[in-house]
Amino acid sequence: MVTFRTDLDTHHTALDVDDAARAARDLARAGAEANGVCTSPIVRAVFDRETGVTHLVPIPCGSTRESKCVGCAQKARRLRMHQAREGWHRDDEPDMPPPADKAPAEDNEKDDDAPAPERVARSTRRLKGIPALPTQEMVGGTLGRTFTDAKTGRRFRPSMFLTLTLGSYGDIGKRRRTDGKWESTGVPVKPSTYDYRKAALDALMFSRVVDRFMQNLRRCAGYNVQYFAAVEPQKRLAPHLHAAIRGTVPRTVVKQVAAATYFAAWWPSCTDADVVYGEHDDAPVWDEDSSSYLDPTTGAVLPTWAEATADLTNPAHVVRLGKQVDIKGLLGGTKDSDRAVRYLCKYLTKSIAGTYSATDDDATDTADRVAYDKHIDRLHAHVRVLPCGPDCANWLRYGVQPKHPTPGMKPGACLSPAHDRENLGLGGRRVLVSRGWSGKTLTQHRADRAAVVREALEAAGIEHDDADRLSTTQETADGHARYIWRQPEAGTYTYAAVIASSLQEHLRRRGQYDAAKHVLGLAPPGTPGPVDNRSATATVAA
């Protein structure tokens, strides 16, 4: 079934065309944003076969970006903060989630007559010039060391807040703020000598070097290190990592691990000198018979990935972490720990390119804004055409077929979001969580938060809504589904009406929960008393 998404700017029914309707939409949107309600819901029509009534149900869009939906993005951020807190300073081992199920045996059967794929053997020796990793005997567990205060005898187990960065690509300018202090402009002093290519490749491979660091840290820490990490850009647009680490590792060991960690991309060379094809008329063409890409002029088959990587003597690129490694020890239940969680999730609602350019807190002049936008454009020009991995369509630009070629690939048009201007190389997950962090998935954390609300309402004697009240599993007396979900007919609703309904429902539920907290004595001191209303069907004033 096709999903119909309302859009304030580009889609409206005939009832929305006049100025009054536009003003109503703007007012509804402002009210929704102010109260954390989704402003880009997916609208469904639910037909009740028993009563003959059709309900319009707005479903939150679930976006994690404020530029698309403030309410959903902030809700996702609060959920991540809850997840970070629950796993950071725990003093008991979590229930490790089971590993992903293996594919059924029949899916793994091989043709006995088919030749086994050739595997390129490479040396496992570390690259020259990179220090060796420190060694440490593993003791097991995910909690880390416990310390005892010599004076009080109190036992405690601190944890860490870790920040990792990438190296320099060139000098970055500074400016004096209105308060007299100096800050980075984020713009290279000399863009012509700034190493944009290295910056782009480092960003495209940042997740890989982070994975290597965490693997190395576990080997050298002596226990099964668990982490909750967030990826965000520095003002110069290079990615860096903030990570909550359960337990402590000596600072010297962490810095040794950072210095010894690298990711080597054993890929074909992809410098400017290696460019063979353009992005348009002279791009390689797909051949159905051979399932390969051909030269558009000669018809010759382009080298396969295996052929292009068979005789490599050096990696195409090596990513290493920068020298700046910040490590802070924190105890659970402290203000510093809570502040660190908020800081850890501070920029999760922003895109990479929009983290610093979307706001103007220090009254940056127009020239600085233009210079910063040009810096973004220059970096994106490299990110767009460089390969993001072995399966990237951009390999065609360098005369090499991707590892798994498919029809429709075009150089400079890889479908990975890493190449988008708003992501600047970081197209994957912005939050990285280890399996043993809390013993729960994000869906389970979301269910836990909903369960807290239901339990509070029940304990206060307030009737709550049935989560399955419009479920497709409900049946009529004849054994057929009672509720039929479908796309609503055009002209049956307006954006303002849908948002107003969502806002009213949100205020009703928030009023119920506030009332329950007052009844149970959980409301903060000084909070105004609740409206005397125990009904789940009446609106509670906010």
Side-chain angles (χ1 to χ4, degrees):
M1 182 180 295
V2 177
T3 299
F4 182 85
R5 186 185 293 273
T6 58
D7 189 301
L8 178 64
D9 300 317
T10 61
H11 183 92
H12 50 76
T13 65
L15 300 176
D16 287 324
V17 297
D18 56 18
D19 291 342
R22 281 193 289 271
R25 293 202 310 273
D26 291 343
L27 184 62
R29 187 183 187 99
E33 288 184 348
N35 287 276
V37 174
C38 178
T39 55
S40 300
I42 301 168
V43 180
R44 291 291 206 199
V46 184
F47 176 67
D48 188 343
R49 294 180 62 249
E50 196 168 275
T51 64
V53 176
T54 297
H55 305 269
L56 287 178
V57 180
I59 304 172
C61 68
S63 174
T64 59
R65 296 290 176 266
E66 281 187 344
S67 59
K68 297 180 180 178
C69 180
V70 174
C72 287
Q74 289 295 340
K75 184 176 181 180
R77 177 176 176 267
R78 289 192 297 271
L79 180 62
R80 287 297 191 180
M81 291 172 64
H82 170 75
Q83 183 184 29
R85 290 190 180 101
E86 183 158 331
W88 198 359
H89 302 289
R90 62 184 304 149
D91 54 10
D92 62 324
E93 292 287 351
D95 294 328
M96 297 291 284
D101 292 336
K102 295 183 179 180
E106 57 268 25
D107 293 339
N108 290 327
E109 291 181 357
K110 296 181 180 180
D111 184 355
D112 291 337
D113 296 328
E118 293 186 7
R119 187 173 182 180
V120 179
R122 303 197 190 282
S123 172
T124 58
R125 290 184 298 178
R126 298 176 62 80
L127 296 181
K128 293 181 179 180
I130 298 179
L133 288 165
T135 58
Q136 176 68 37
E137 183 180 354
M138 291 292 294
V139 296
T142 69
L143 303 181
R145 295 176 58 193
T146 299
F147 299 86
T148 302
D149 189 312
K151 295 182 179 180
T152 65
R154 185 176 66 91
R155 294 170 61 85
F156 61 95
R157 182 184 288 109
S159 293
M160 298 190 305
F161 186 82
L162 173 66
T163 300
L164 300 174
T165 62
L166 291 171
S168 173
Y169 310 109
D171 293 337
I172 299 296
K174 294 183 179 181
R175 62 164 173 252
R176 191 184 294 275
R177 300 190 314 194
T178 54
D179 59 4
K181 296 181 179 180
W182 289 90
E183 69 172 1
S184 170
T185 63
V187 179
V189 175
K190 293 183 178 180
S192 60
T193 60
Y194 192 79
D195 197 344
Y196 280 103
R197 180 180 177 276
K198 178 173 172 46
L201 285 172
D202 280 2
L204 288 165
M205 302 179 194
F206 186 67
S207 62
R208 293 176 170 91
V209 76
V210 168
D211 284 344
R212 290 292 173 87
F213 172 81
M214 291 302 178
Q215 293 170 10
N216 292 339
L217 186 62
R218 283 187 174 131
R219 294 169 185 163
C220 305
Y223 71 102
N224 188 5
V225 173
Q226 301 298 311
Y227 59 89
F228 178 102
V231 179
E232 64 183 52
Q234 294 177 297
K235 198 161 189 178
R236 60 178 177 144
L237 298 177
H240 68 161
L241 184 88
H242 295 305
I245 306 289
R246 184 158 70 234
T248 55
V249 182
R251 283 176 168 80
T252 55
V253 172
V254 175
K255 292 183 178 181
Q256 286 176 336
V257 171
T261 295
Y262 66 91
F263 171 76
W266 289 94
W267 301 347
S269 180
C270 51
T271 66
D272 291 343
D274 299 307
V275 175
V276 178
Y277 301 104
E279 302 175 26
H280 304 292
D281 295 337
D282 63 338
V285 295
W286 175 256
D287 179 59
E288 284 288 348
D289 294 335
S290 61
S291 296
S292 303
Y293 278 92
L294 313 180
D295 182 279
T297 303
T298 66
V301 178
L302 268 61
T304 65
W305 182 261
E307 292 169 345
T309 58
D311 299 320
L312 297 178
T313 56
N314 293 296
H317 186 71
V318 177
V319 189
R320 296 188 62 185
L321 297 170
K323 295 180 179 179
Q324 182 180 348
V325 179
D326 187 62
I327 308 162
K328 294 180 180 178
L330 296 169
L331 292 174
T334 62
K335 291 183 178 180
D336 287 341
S337 177
D338 188 64
R339 190 182 300 113
V341 169
R342 293 196 300 272
Y343 184 77
L344 186 64
C345 302
K346 180 179 180 180
Y347 294 114
L348 293 184
T349 62
K350 306 288 187 182
S351 68
I352 297 298
T355 299
Y356 298 101
S357 61
T359 59
D360 188 20
D361 297 333
D362 297 313
T364 306
D365 60 33
T366 303
D368 284 342
R369 293 193 199 182
V370 171
Y372 196 72
D373 284 341
K374 288 183 178 179
H375 176 50
I376 294 175
D377 291 339
R378 287 189 291 267
L379 179 58
H380 178 241
H382 287 265
V383 167
R384 188 177 67 84
V385 297
L386 285 167
C388 60
D391 290 321
C392 183
N394 286 344
W395 282 114
L396 295 175
R397 184 171 181 254
Y398 303 95
V400 176
Q401 296 194 64
K403 190 172 185 178
H404 300 100
T406 56
M409 288 182 162
K410 297 291 183 182
C414 178
L415 298 179
S416 170
H419 300 284
D420 295 345
R421 188 181 187 275
E422 70 172 6
N423 295 323
L424 295 176
L426 298 173
R429 292 173 291 117
R430 295 281 298 278
V431 178
L432 310 173
V433 186
S434 58
R435 287 181 60 247
W437 178 252
S438 63
K440 299 178 184 177
T441 65
L442 193 61
T443 300
Q444 290 172 322
H445 281 292
R446 187 180 293 109
D448 286 348
R449 289 171 64 84
V452 169
V453 175
R454 289 196 302 270
E455 291 170 1
L457 295 177
E458 291 174 357
I462 299 177
E463 183 181 355
H464 60 81
D465 295 332
D466 181 6
D468 297 325
R469 62 189 181 281
L470 297 177
S471 173
T472 56
T473 60
Q474 294 196 36
E475 298 180 349
T476 57
D478 59 3
H480 293 84
R482 175 177 175 179
Y483 298 106
I484 308 299
W485 287 66
R486 58 194 178 194
Q487 180 180 342
E489 297 179 4
T492 57
Y493 67 92
T494 65
Y495 177 87
V498 169
I499 299 302
S501 175
S502 297
L503 180 58
Q504 183 181 28
E505 177 72 3
H506 170 79
L507 294 176
R508 180 181 70 83
R509 291 184 177 183
R510 188 173 71 183
Q512 286 182 324
Y513 188 47
D514 289 344
K517 289 191 291 185
H518 274 277
V519 171
L520 300 175
L522 302 176
T527 305
V531 175
D532 185 12
N533 185 359
R534 299 290 180 92
S535 172
T537 58
T539 300
V540 178

